Amino acid sequence: MSHSAQPTASLYIDGRPVEGQGAALAVHYPYTGEVIATLHEASEAQVAAACAAAAKAQPAWAALRPVERGRVLLRAAALIRERGEELARLETLDTGKPIQETRVADWPSGADALEYFGGLAATITGQTIPLGGDFVYTIREPLGVCAGIGAWNYPSQIACWKAAPALVMGNAMVFKPSEETPLGALKLAEILAEAGLPAGVFNVVQGRGAVGAALVTDPRVAKVSLTGSVSTGQKVYAAAAEGMRHVTMELGGKSPLIVFDDASLEDAIGAAMLANFYSSGQICSNGTRVFVQDAILPRFLERLSERLAAVKIGDPLEDDTQHGPIVSAAQVDKIRAAIAQGKAEGARLVCGGPGEGAFVPPTVFADAGDDMFIAREEIFGPVMTVLRFATEDEVVARANATPYGLAAGVFTRDLARGHRVAAALEAGTTWINAYNLTPVEAPFGGVKLSGVGRENSAAAIEHYSQLKSVYVGMGAVDAPY
Ligand code: NDP
């Protein structure tokens, strides 16, 4: 079967598909390596044209009643759900992730965001602050043109998570997907247009980092929301600072998952697998440092190995495949180098290894030290590092001894300990007896080097709006002149 996924054109500007004037971008299906589409980057003039279209469209969009803006998002969500199978297939071709994941996690989570924020639209109000006669009221205003920049691991979900709160607040957006996975954002632009979004409110430009950099510094851009690595986040945050632009930074992590000896072992192992191997480990919030308490460590590793031996690795378009290829050859090389370093530094390879071709199997290291590369650095691949611990105080201190702070998890049947440890962990998102669940209803984001701002939930609205205070004088002006 042909895997061709050529879109009408590479960019989407001012309500229509437009071909890019820049360098060619070949889009590969990671499983076979075949080229499934050839796109072209946006030229500098096209990035500027997208920002100009957004700036022109934004005031009329913001002037609509919120319930009307919300209705467009709700319609778009319904179209996504109707076309679930076709969109899941496209996402699998773009990313290589198993279709059993892309059917339930990627676009469906994007549709959740469009529904959540579409429904929230009409509830966003200001405050009245009484001053004993005089009073102040506040107006929550849109920021204007927002730039969204995405990573390759959840391309369509990221586009929806950024577009939904931005648009519902009356902003316009110019979105640049990762060069590795450019197709989903174009689909989102088409679906939003079909749902009734006015031309220019959501635009897509393609390109490598330089196109992202041009977008971030366009004078019309008031806010930048990036999902990506810490090093890109630092560059983009610095570039945004010059224009005092608002930012949301969803960056990487090296998150801890702590398993106490009273935990349900099977649940903790299931969570550790989800926390390391879903999407072939290419998830920012993954719990890649799995701290296991002394007494249960041998049994934990034994059962983990048994369960991993049954994982089906292979063709991502087959219904029962659970583990697919890595997104690109460059990423495969990085993961293999990390595995080699883990071995060289003396960690014990329990299962997995470098793999072949585009595949890296679920890989587990034990007997690792906190200072080893595999326990410190984000690998962004299917590599779990298991670390032994004895006491609660010790494990919390070790879990927090990292510059990252995206996520953390704790497994225990001791209610008080679960809450105490969750409170002590330095992370923006924590789970007790669960891992990697990121429902749109809950705020998501990092602390420390893992980022600033929050996506999802009503909290995201604060990051796509600004507050105006209106002071109303009700009496004579009391001037001492
Ligand atoms: P990168 O940081 O390399 O890229 C992220 C995006 O930024 C891409 O679209 C990239 O373009 C673009 N970009 C690169 N340089 C610049 C620049 N100077 N100015 C503006 N934009 C730029 O991340 P990856 O795509 O490689 O994704 C993997 C990383 O993302 C991991 O480290 C992971 O932790 C993190 N991540 C974080 C998530 C979170 O929510 N916290 C979620 C998913 C991933 P291009 O790729 O085309 O060069």
Side-chain angles (χ1 to χ4, degrees):
M1 188 195 248
S2 159
H3 295 132
S4 172
Q6 186 67 37
T8 315
S10 300
L11 322 178
Y12 197 91
I13 299 177
D14 206 11
R16 51 192 190 89
V18 182
E19 196 40 62
Q21 292 164 350
L25 276 179
V27 186
H28 299 271
Y29 175 33
Y31 178 54
T32 59
E34 75 202 270
V35 174
I36 55 169
T38 302
L39 274 57
H40 290 89
E41 293 193 79
S43 64
E44 262 185 51
Q46 287 179 310
V47 173
C51 294
K56 185 160 154 271
Q58 188 266 329
W61 172 243
L64 291 178
R65 283 176 62 205
V67 75
E68 294 178 279
R69 289 198 298 271
R71 201 178 296 137
V72 173
L73 270 61
L74 292 169
R75 273 195 218 116
L79 291 171
I80 289 170
R81 298 218 188 271
E82 267 168 49
R83 295 174 196 168
E85 187 59 25
E86 171 202 329
L87 293 171
R89 187 180 149 82
L90 183 70
E91 194 79 346
T92 288
L93 291 174
D94 211 7
T95 61
K97 297 195 294 179
I99 195 142
Q100 65 162 242
E101 290 190 16
T102 55
R103 276 185 186 135
V104 299
D106 294 76
W107 279 101
S109 154
D112 283 355
L114 292 161
E115 282 160 357
Y116 179 88
F117 289 104
L120 196 72
T123 72
I124 299 165
T125 56
Q127 258 188 319
T128 306
I129 302 156
L131 297 168
D134 291 2
F135 63 98
V136 169
Y137 64 90
T138 61
I139 304 174
R140 195 164 276 285
E141 297 178 330
L143 300 172
V145 177
C146 301
I149 302 179
W152 39 253
N153 59 340
Y154 278 82
S156 303
Q157 182 202 69
I158 290 170
C160 292
W161 280 20
K162 296 189 190 310
L167 299 191
V168 110
M169 259 318 300
N171 299 287
M173 178 165 268
V174 181
F175 188 84
K176 190 203 83 68
S178 164
E179 67 176 269
E180 302 284 355
T181 54
L183 303 176
L186 288 172
K187 273 284 169 217
L188 178 62
E190 281 171 23
I191 288 170
L192 284 167
E194 200 177 329
L197 191 74
V201 177
F202 183 76
N203 308 274
V204 179
V205 294
Q206 306 286 358
R208 301 175 171 84
V211 172
L215 179 57
V216 170
T217 50
D218 186 281
R220 285 157 287 222
V221 168
K223 192 232 155 84
V224 183
S225 177
L226 170 88
T227 297
S229 59
V230 170
S231 65
T232 301
Q234 286 165 329
K235 280 186 231 157
V236 171
Y237 201 168
E242 196 164 56
M244 214 55 84
R245 295 173 179 88
H246 297 239
V247 295
T248 299
M249 295 283 146
E250 295 290 355
L251 310 176
K254 190 73 193 176
S255 300
L257 168 54
I258 302 171
V259 183
F260 284 97
D261 60 13
D262 65 339
S264 156
L265 192 68
E266 287 302 315
D267 286 340
I269 290 169
M273 290 168 72
L274 278 172
N276 282 272
F277 305 126
Y278 207 68
S279 294
S280 297
Q282 302 164 114
I283 299 184
C284 52
S285 51
N286 272 357
T288 48
R289 290 184 293 148
V290 180
F291 290 94
V292 182
Q293 204 163 13
D294 284 329
I296 56 164
L297 183 60
R299 182 77 187 130
F300 182 94
L301 290 173
E302 188 186 334
R303 279 295 295 143
L304 176 64
S305 304
E306 281 167 17
R307 289 178 64 174
L308 284 175
V311 170
K312 180 156 186 271
I313 304 176
D315 182 344
L317 284 172
E318 276 179 18
D319 288 346
D320 58 349
T321 295
Q322 295 165 313
H323 191 86
I326 301 299
V327 73
S328 66
Q331 190 62 19
V332 169
D333 290 347
K334 276 195 214 162
I335 298 168
R336 288 197 179 130
I339 293 174
Q341 192 157 348
K343 284 193 205 160
E345 290 183 24
R348 176 165 63 93
L349 188 63
V350 175
C351 57
E356 280 173 24
F359 284 86
V360 178
T363 297
V364 178
F365 278 107
D367 303 342
D370 293 7
D371 52 353
M372 288 182 186
F373 179 88
I374 54 167
R376 281 185 292 109
E377 299 297 331
E378 182 178 52
I379 299 167
F380 223 61
V383 184
M384 179 195 300
T385 300
V386 178
L387 301 147
R388 172 193 290 268
F389 78 92
T391 70
E392 180 182 320
D393 285 351
E394 169 212 334
V395 77
V396 167
R398 288 169 61 196
N400 286 339
T402 168
Y404 299 113
L406 188 55
V410 52
F411 270 77
T412 178
R413 286 198 176 97
D414 179 336
L415 194 61
R417 177 160 64 189
H419 293 289
R420 193 167 59 232
V421 171
L425 289 169
E426 295 166 0
T429 303
T430 54
W431 292 277
I432 302 173
N433 295 334
Y435 204 89
N436 257 356
L437 301 174
T438 54
V440 68
E441 294 89 340
F444 178 74
V447 300
K448 296 158 77 177
L449 281 189
S450 293
V452 293
R454 291 293 175 268
E455 299 202 287
N456 289 342
S457 81
I461 293 296
E462 287 164 31
H463 299 287
Y464 284 101
S465 61
Q466 57 200 359
L467 274 184
K468 174 180 279 172
S469 288
V470 182
Y471 188 109
V472 182
M474 297 293 285
V477 172
D478 181 15
Y481 309 107

